[in-house]
């Protein structure tokens, strides 16, 4: 353990001992009395949940204005979004508990979002403007019983904003800032975000319209001398309509359009190469439409989630060997129907049953590939059930199973058992769980240019043991959970050295991951609060790329007045492994990336209470130079100023 990590650990312990907080305005990631939905799909008190669920509320998001969704998620224990410190044009990877993108399910308003044309069944977080979000829940561990394929290491459950109770209300915001790497220290304004939303309720009818846009430039995605700047532009439009038919039945319609346009650089190919390709461009757009309906009856509640979407991507890449530009076209469609029913057998005993049907297809056309949706498609039908028992004496049990019926590879069964116990005489909850999960091979892995129709789904099993407690009348909250995960049939890219044929296939070896996560919140004085989390993750070397063994986040918040507050964020990542194909040696070269620490500061002030507010942020205050991905730039010291007006 190096001296830098020891200093960081001492800093965290010192802030934990000396720091105090305000209960009223605290970040409620660790509140014991919160209502959560992620581990049952229906609202229940967090104290009855057998999981440590991280919750980011609307108040939390308001105090993190100017930060992207990826940056906010990276501040949670057990979550790493690789690429969030790089240029906005850089693609991002989601790593939860040593897993990868395809092992994380992302849901928006109760429905899954996915790009079926990608190499993995994953989703680009950059498509979601954080200003559209009302609340985020992150459920870690295998969760395929409720959330199906891909929910092997975690679920990111996002709730978008809803209409307020007024006839008409809204919000307008605008912010501007710099976009510098560590070598660039000017004050040029190269980052702009703006948005407008209008919403309201007219008797039984509700509506919400929101439009958001972001534009950035300022430095090259690739690291090098005199490289061209890369740009990023995003626009997002959201429309919601709701109608309350009766006290028991309501219907909601939604539609989203999101588009990203950016320039980018090719993969790093070694210290003697240049990957500053000024002609590389990408354009992607997403359409989503859906219907959600809830019917409440005397013994329970029935939910219908129906949605469909398309994602189209067009990529232009410089051909360094033949010259010119290669064009790649990708298109995908997805549809989802999820019927969920909660039956209350008694006050303590509930049964959740559901039937989820999903359909995916894709197309890929370029000079080398012709994959049509008539060939590349599959559908999944999943019946599932969960039993929830909350006793009067402290015992809580969540157990269930799911049968995955896949059109291409047959049936697959997963299950979970999650008991917990709340002690009545002391503020302590202990929890344990064992759950299995699966990851469906993507259409690209089955039918793409390197596809293999014989590839089988990945399998995961996770065991957890943890606790949650509080002291001093819940002014000090502590939780910790340890996990052990086994992964089988990992899908990977192989090259046969005899025939030099390349294809996707299953990895023979079993992969193990283990670690623990802990959160501590102190809130003792009226003006000062600290939140600290620590993550330890240990995985097999062949899948350890970008995953730090040690990660620490510290947040210190001080409320000068009811209108003015400031916070300081500290983040530490230990050494990580990386690898790249080195063109000078015609082989893969492994590297170790150095640890790094960054400090950010944020200030919020309400000029007109509940109406007009301004914020200012400084990120990477000490302009630390570090490497997030080998061969690519990271953000240096940057400034951002913004205002928000509610009407």
């Amino acid at each position: 353990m190096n001296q830098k990590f020891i200093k960081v650990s001492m800093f965290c312990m010192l802030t934990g001992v000396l720091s105090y907080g305000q209960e009223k305005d605290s970040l409620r990631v660790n509140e014991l009395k919160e209502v959560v939905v992620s581990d049952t799909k229906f609202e229940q008190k967090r104290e009855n949940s057998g999981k440590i669920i991280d919750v980011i509320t609307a108040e939390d998001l308001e105090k993190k204005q100017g930060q992207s969704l990826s940056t906010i998620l990276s501040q949670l224990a057990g979550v790493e979004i690789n690429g969030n410190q790089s240029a906005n044009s850089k693609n991002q990877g989601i790593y939860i508990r040593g897993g990868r993108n395809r092992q994380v399910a992302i849901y928006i308003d109760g429905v899954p979002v996915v790009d079926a044309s990608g190499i993995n069944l994953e989703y680009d977080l950059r498509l979601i403007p954080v200003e559209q979000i009302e609340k985020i829940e992150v459920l870690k561990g295998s969760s395929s019983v409720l959330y199906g394929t891909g929910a092997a290491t975690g679920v990111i459950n996002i709730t978008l904003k809803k209409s307020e109770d007024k006839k008409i209300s809204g919000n307008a915001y605008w912010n501007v800032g710099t976009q510098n790497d560590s070598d660039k220290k000017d004050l040029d304004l190269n980052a702009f975000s703006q948005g407008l939303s209008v919403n309201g309720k007219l008797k039984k009818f509700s509506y919400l319209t929101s439009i958001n846009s972001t534009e950035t430039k300022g430095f090259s995605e690739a690291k090098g001398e005199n490289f061209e700047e890369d740009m990023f532009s995003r626009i997002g439009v959201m429309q919601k309509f709701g109608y309350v038919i009766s006290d028991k039945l309501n219907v909601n319609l939604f539609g989203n359009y999101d588009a990203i346009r950016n320039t980018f650089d090719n993969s790093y190919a070694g210290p003697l190469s240049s990957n500053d390709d000024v002609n590389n461009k990408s354009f992607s757009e997403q359409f989503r439409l859906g219907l959600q309906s809830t019917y409440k009856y005397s013994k329970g509640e029935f939910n219908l989630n129906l949605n469909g979407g398309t994602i189209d991507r067009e990529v232009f890449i410089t051909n360094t060997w033949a010259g010119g530009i290669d064009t790649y076209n990708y298109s995908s469609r997805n549809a989802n129907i999820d019927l969920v029913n909660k039956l209350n057998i008694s006050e303590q005993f509930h049964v959740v049953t559901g039937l989820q049907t999903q359909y995916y297809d894709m197309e890929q056309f370029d000079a080398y590939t012709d994959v049509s949706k008539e060939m590349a498609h599959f559908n999944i039908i999943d019946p599932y059930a969960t039993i929830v028992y909350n006793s009067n004496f402290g015992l809580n049990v969540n157990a269930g199973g799911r049968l995955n019926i896949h059109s291409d590879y047959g049936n697959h069964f997963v299950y979970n058992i999650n008991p917990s116990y709340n002690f009545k005489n002391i503020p302590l909850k202990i929890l344990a769980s064992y759950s299995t999960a699966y990851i469906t091979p993507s259409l690209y892995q089955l039918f793409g240019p390197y596809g293999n129709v014989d590839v089988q789904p990945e399998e995961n099993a996770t065991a957890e043991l943890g606790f949650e407690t509080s002291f001093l009348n819940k002014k000090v909250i502590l939780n910790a959970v340890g996990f052990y995960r086994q992964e089988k049939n990992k899908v990977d890219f192989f090259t046969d050295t005899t025939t030099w044929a390349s294809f996707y296939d299953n990895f023979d070896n079993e992969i193990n991951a283990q670690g623990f996560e802990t959160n501590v919140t102190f809130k003792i004085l009226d003006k000062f609060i600290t939140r600290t989390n620590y993550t330890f993750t240990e995985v097999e070397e062949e899948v350890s790329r970008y995953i730090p063994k040690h990660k620490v986040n510290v947040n210190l918040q001080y409320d000068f007045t009811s209108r003015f507050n400031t916070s300081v964020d500290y983040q530490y990542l230990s050494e990580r492994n990386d690898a790249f194909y080195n063109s000078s040696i015609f082989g893969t070269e492994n590297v170790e990336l150095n640890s790094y620490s960054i400090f950010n500061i944020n200030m919020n002030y309400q000029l007109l209470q509940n109406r007009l507010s301004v914020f200012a942020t400084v990120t990477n205050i000490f302009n630390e130079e570090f490497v997030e991905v080998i061969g690519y730039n990271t953000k240096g010291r940057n400034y951002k100023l913004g205002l928000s007006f509610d009407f």
Side-chain angles (χ1 to χ4, degrees):
M1 189 175 297
N2 59 37
Q3 292 184 353
K4 193 171 188 178
F5 179 70
I6 294 174
K7 292 178 180 178
V8 170
S9 301
M10 293 177 65
F11 171 77
C12 296
M13 288 187 290
L14 184 61
T15 57
V17 173
L18 297 180
S19 302
Y20 308 95
Q22 180 181 6
E23 186 169 5
K24 173 183 167 185
D25 294 321
S26 66
L27 179 71
R28 290 177 287 184
V29 168
N30 297 308
E31 287 287 357
L32 299 179
K33 290 293 185 180
E34 278 184 311
V35 172
V36 294
V37 299
S38 293
D39 61 338
T40 64
K41 286 195 173 180
F42 292 90
E43 289 188 355
Q44 71 166 342
K45 293 180 180 179
R46 189 167 188 259
E47 62 184 359
N48 292 332
S49 172
K51 290 285 190 175
I52 304 297
I53 301 176
D54 291 330
V55 181
I56 303 174
T57 67
E59 291 84 359
D60 305 330
L61 293 171
E62 184 179 354
K63 293 180 179 179
K64 293 182 176 294
Q65 293 182 81
Q67 299 185 24
S68 69
L69 173 60
S70 298
T71 300
I72 292 170
L73 289 172
S74 282
Q75 297 168 21
L76 300 178
V79 181
E80 171 61 18
I81 312 294
N82 180 266
N84 85 94
Q85 299 289 352
S86 302
N88 290 341
S89 55
K90 181 80 177 69
N91 61 303
Q92 298 178 349
I94 308 172
Y95 300 86
I96 296 179
R97 292 188 171 178
R100 300 165 300 285
N101 281 26
R102 62 176 175 268
Q103 296 169 312
V104 179
I106 300 176
Y107 273 63
I108 299 179
D109 282 342
V111 298
V113 289
V114 68
D115 180 3
S117 68
I119 295 177
N120 301 301
L121 287 172
E122 57 191 25
Y123 187 74
D124 189 347
L125 289 175
R126 297 176 303 171
L127 283 166
I128 312 173
V130 70
E131 291 82 8
Q132 292 182 357
I133 297 174
E134 177 74 20
K135 180 181 179 181
I136 306 169
E137 292 185 12
V138 178
L139 173 65
K140 286 165 281 189
S142 301
S143 305
S144 280
V145 168
L146 284 180
Y147 293 97
T149 178
T153 63
V155 176
I156 299 175
N157 196 0
I158 297 170
T159 301
L160 300 182
K161 291 181 177 179
K162 300 178 177 64
S163 304
E164 297 186 17
D165 290 330
K166 303 176 183 179
K167 289 184 178 181
I168 183 169
S169 61
N171 170 266
Y173 71 90
W174 177 80
N175 58 66
V176 62
T178 62
Q179 189 77 356
N180 298 327
D181 61 16
S182 59
D183 295 326
K184 186 179 179 184
K185 303 178 179 63
D186 58 39
L187 295 177
D188 293 344
L189 300 180
N190 288 317
F192 301 88
S193 292
Q194 47 276 318
L196 174 67
S197 65
V198 179
N199 67 88
K201 289 185 179 180
L202 303 171
K203 296 183 179 180
K204 294 185 177 183
F205 176 75
S206 63
Y207 65 93
L208 184 148
T209 303
S210 175
I211 182 168
N212 312 83
S213 66
T214 298
E215 303 83 32
T216 63
K217 61 179 182 178
F219 63 92
S220 169
E221 178 186 352
K223 190 173 183 60
E225 296 291 334
N226 300 317
F227 280 7
E228 295 285 337
E229 296 179 358
D230 286 304
M231 58 77 63
F232 172 88
S233 176
R234 178 189 62 209
I235 185 170
V237 180
M238 176 174 66
Q239 181 67 65
K240 286 186 174 184
F241 296 108
Y243 188 75
V244 179
I245 299 174
S246 69
D247 293 339
K248 296 181 178 180
L249 179 63
N250 66 72
V251 177
N252 295 280
L253 302 173
F254 70 85
N256 288 81
Y257 172 76
D258 303 285
I260 289 177
R261 188 184 302 275
N262 65 279
T263 60
F264 66 97
D265 295 319
N266 278 340
S267 299
Y268 181 62
L272 300 180
S273 68
S274 170
N275 60 330
D276 182 47
D277 301 289
V278 297
N279 294 318
N280 286 356
K281 300 177 182 179
S282 175
F283 174 72
S284 62
E285 60 179 1
Q286 167 189 250
F287 291 92
R288 296 174 59 238
L289 292 172
L291 178 149
Q292 297 171 310
S293 181
T294 299
Y295 175 71
K296 295 183 179 180
Y297 55 96
S298 59
K299 290 290 186 179
E301 183 177 332
F302 177 80
N303 288 345
L304 166 65
N305 289 313
L306 170 66
N307 75 290
T310 64
I311 293 182
D312 297 288
R313 292 182 292 123
E314 193 172 21
V315 182
F316 306 91
I317 297 181
T318 303
N319 190 326
T320 56
W321 298 98
I325 303 294
D326 290 336
T327 303
Y328 299 83
N329 294 282
Y330 304 87
S331 178
S332 70
R333 300 183 300 179
N334 64 85
N336 170 80
I337 302 175
D338 194 7
L339 308 172
V340 194
N341 183 71
K342 177 186 179 184
L343 177 62
N344 300 319
I345 306 298
S346 67
E347 290 186 4
Q348 291 79 38
F349 188 59
H350 318 282
V351 178
V352 178
T353 54
L355 178 66
Q356 185 174 18
T357 300
Q358 299 178 76
Y359 172 83
Y360 301 100
D361 67 31
M362 69 162 283
E363 293 182 333
Q364 178 183 345
F365 298 107
D366 54 60
Y368 318 99
T369 307
D370 185 352
V371 177
S372 69
K373 61 177 178 290
E374 287 76 21
M375 173 180 64
H377 64 87
F378 61 65
N379 61 271
I380 307 171
I381 301 175
D382 290 11
Y384 60 92
T386 291
I387 297 172
V388 181
Y389 174 64
N390 303 126
S391 73
N392 293 323
F393 57 87
L395 176 65
N396 305 293
V397 179
N398 183 323
R402 184 184 189 110
L403 178 63
N404 172 252
I405 305 171
H406 194 283
S407 60
D408 279 48
Y409 62 74
N411 300 344
H412 195 86
F413 182 74
V414 295
Y415 62 93
N416 81 286
I417 176 71
N418 177 205
S420 61
Y421 188 83
N422 288 300
F423 288 87
K424 295 300 182 181
N425 297 325
I426 56 175
L428 174 65
K429 177 174 70 175
I430 57 173
L431 57 93
S433 71
Y434 182 81
S435 52
T436 61
Y438 66 94
I439 304 98
T440 302
S442 70
L443 290 168
Y444 187 92
Q445 292 164 343
L446 289 170
F447 305 107
Y450 306 101
N452 176 6
V453 295
D454 294 323
V455 69
Q456 294 299 305
E458 296 183 11
E459 300 179 11
N460 270 254
T462 300
E464 292 180 324
L465 182 64
F467 70 90
E468 191 161 41
T469 187
S470 63
F471 309 96
L472 301 177
N473 194 27
K474 297 180 183 177
K475 292 181 179 180
V476 178
I477 302 173
L478 167 68
N479 64 53
V481 61
F483 69 90
Y484 181 78
R485 183 172 64 86
Q486 290 184 337
E487 180 180 333
K488 297 179 181 179
N489 294 337
K490 175 181 179 289
V491 179
D492 211 340
F493 187 74
F494 291 87
T495 299
D496 189 325
T497 55
T498 302
T499 63
W500 295 106
S502 298
F503 52 89
Y504 285 93
D505 206 345
N506 295 105
F507 195 75
D508 291 334
N509 296 345
E510 181 180 276
I511 297 172
N512 300 312
Q514 59 189 348
F516 69 88
E517 304 144 8
T518 183
N519 294 274
V520 186
T521 299
F522 293 84
K523 43 185 179 180
I524 299 175
L525 291 182
D526 291 336
K527 300 291 185 181
F528 206 8
I529 181 171
T530 69
R531 297 166 297 272
T532 303
N533 65 63
Y534 167 71
T535 304
F536 170 79
T537 309
E538 190 170 53
V539 295
E540 306 283 357
E541 185 175 353
E542 57 263 32
V543 295
S544 63
R545 193 173 182 180
Y546 306 137
I547 300 172
K549 180 174 286 189
H550 306 282
K551 184 175 179 179
V552 175
N553 289 287
V554 180
N555 174 265
L556 309 177
Q557 180 182 307
Y558 186 76
D559 297 301
F560 292 93
T561 69
S562 60
R563 293 188 178 187
F564 179 44
N565 68 78
T566 185
S567 64
V568 176
D569 292 301
Y570 169 82
Q571 187 173 80
Y572 167 83
L573 272 73
S574 67
E575 295 82 0
R576 289 98 52 227
N577 293 325
D578 199 354
F580 64 95
Y581 181 80
N582 193 332
S583 59
S584 61
I585 63 173
F586 299 100
T588 300
E589 183 174 338
N590 297 317
V591 294
E592 183 179 83
L593 307 179
N594 292 331
S595 63
Y596 69 87
S597 301
I598 55 175
F599 287 85
N600 307 319
I601 187 169
N602 179 278
M603 292 173 285
N604 291 277
Y605 183 68
Q606 290 187 3
L607 293 174
L608 299 174
Q609 193 167 11
N610 299 322
R611 288 292 183 182
L612 179 63
S613 63
V614 297
F615 76 88
T617 64
V618 184
T619 56
N620 194 0
I621 297 173
F622 300 109
N623 200 39
E624 178 163 349
E625 184 176 3
F626 60 95
V627 178
E628 190 177 34
V629 179
I630 187 68
Y632 291 90
N633 266 320
T634 51
K635 297 175 183 177
R637 183 189 301 114
N638 282 285
Y639 309 89
K640 184 173 286 189
L641 179 68
L643 58 86
S644 177
F645 178 68
D646 295 322
F647 57 89

